Amino acid sequence: MLLENKVVLVTGASRGIGRATAVEAARQGADVAINTFRDDAVAAEVVAEIEALGRKAIVFDADVALPESAAGFVDAAVQAFGRVDVFVSNAGICPFHAFLDMPVETLRRTMEVNLHGAYFMTQAAANQMVKQGQGGSIVAISSISALVGGEMQTHYTPTKAGVHSLMQSCAVALGKHGIRCNSVLPGTIATDINKDDLADPKKREYMEGRIPLGRLGRPEDIASVVAFLASDMAGYMSGAALLVDGGAFANFQ
Ligand code: NAD
Ligand code: RM4
């Protein structure tokens, strides 16, 4: 029980890594506030999964790209559970597209959801933690894409480098309040975000072949690392980045 009786907030928690993280937090003893965006039926499933583990959950539907969503999510969590101990910034999009004809709107939306959304949400959660005066833990889902480029990801990789950089600066800004800030850099995890991209058997085989552990990641592979970083077991970690990629990044030569 790494997170016994803690209150954990997760953005983009209806699917993929966010959903697995919310459920893992409950398995580790936390009550969980999940942010979702226009995904009501699936959100209800996540709540049911958390309640089946004997913990409480609330859903807050909002677009993380809007600054007002952040205070709304934190307020809803505080109203339901009284405080915020852990905040996980996970919501993200990656509409794969070539560089030379990248539509302005695709670039803008990707930046606003992935980077501005992480900023607004982290700021709101941090303000609540500072008000409580007992520290806290913030974990952002960055990516291996913070370290390497992607032909169809020129709009996306800068947001993931940005999210990691945000955690580093927040670690500096919030250390005096006992708030730890870290990022997790997943490799390729099979979720809806890359379902179409990996539907091409050649691409999938190529990606799997590059991973020393021989398989794509699962959302649970990331959720367990987030739970560790969120917990007191990682009490002296701040400003760090954990690469969770089955060895893919190391496999160059
Ligand atoms: P996913 O598509 O399965 O899940 C994304 C979640 O974010 C969904 O629940 C979706 O509803 C939510 N979301 C999307 N836009 C939102 C918005 N504007 N406001 C609120 N919620 C919103 O994808 P995933 O793979 O689980 O991605 C989660 C995070 O992990 C993303 O930040 C992504 O960049 C990162 N990541 C994924 C991989 C991977 O290979 N899957 C690798 C590295 C990093
Ligand atoms: C990740 C990483 C994965 C890709 C997803 C969409 O950050 O680049 O390989 O599938 O994004």
Side-chain angles (χ1 to χ4, degrees):
M1 286 284 181
L2 287 179
L3 301 171
E4 198 158 19
N5 296 323
K6 303 255 188 205
V7 176
V8 175
L9 279 65
V10 186
T11 64
S14 55
R15 293 165 192 271
I17 293 168
R19 176 177 180 153
T21 298
V23 171
E24 182 59 31
R27 192 173 293 118
Q28 296 295 340
D31 291 327
V32 191
I34 64 171
N35 154 249
T36 62
F37 183 45
R38 298 183 184 155
D39 215 0
D40 289 351
V42 182
E45 283 176 26
V46 187
V47 170
E49 245 184 283
I50 290 170
E51 288 176 350
L53 290 164
R55 303 306 311 190
K56 296 188 196 118
I58 61 148
V59 179
F60 186 78
D61 182 282
D63 180 354
V64 296
L66 303 174
E68 59 270 27
S69 298
F73 183 37
V74 170
D75 285 352
V78 171
Q79 218 167 342
F81 303 128
R83 62 183 199 282
V84 173
D85 299 308
V86 174
F87 172 69
V88 182
S89 176
N90 164 77
I93 57 172
C94 181
F96 287 80
H97 202 287
F99 175 57
L100 293 176
D101 62 348
M102 178 68 68
V104 171
E105 193 36 48
T106 306
L107 170 66
R108 198 170 275 152
R109 179 71 183 155
T110 305
M111 297 270 173
E112 285 179 357
V113 172
N114 295 7
L115 189 51
H116 296 188
Y119 194 105
F120 299 138
M121 282 283 177
T122 297
Q123 188 185 40
N127 269 301
Q128 176 60 31
M129 289 173 182
V130 169
K131 204 191 301 176
Q132 292 165 192
Q134 293 174 321
S137 174
I138 298 175
V139 182
I141 306 300
S142 170
S143 170
I144 191 173
S145 298
L147 309 177
V148 298
E151 183 177 359
M152 298 291 168
Q153 293 178 308
T154 57
H155 51 330
Y156 172 82
T157 61
T159 69
K160 293 284 121 177
V163 160
H164 167 54
S165 170
L166 173 65
M167 285 302 104
Q168 289 184 310
S169 287
C170 286
V172 177
L174 299 172
K176 56 178 166 289
H177 300 287
I179 300 170
R180 301 183 294 105
C181 302
N182 296 287
S183 53
V184 174
L185 281 56
T188 303
I189 314 300
T191 68
D192 288 352
I193 209 172
N194 49 27
K195 203 164 61 187
D196 292 343
D197 188 49
L198 295 173
D200 172 3
K202 270 203 199 127
K203 172 94 192 249
R204 194 181 174 105
E205 223 170 276
Y206 170 75
M207 293 303 282
E208 283 168 349
R210 295 210 36 123
I211 301 169
L213 288 182
R215 64 168 175 86
L216 298 177
R218 306 179 189 110
E220 294 72 21
D221 294 322
I222 306 303
S224 53
V225 175
V226 176
F228 162 70
L229 278 178
S231 78
D232 295 343
M233 295 268 285
Y236 197 56
M237 290 185 74
S238 200
L242 291 183
L243 185 59
V244 187
D245 68 346
F249 182 74
N251 188 21
F252 182 64
Q253 306 195 63

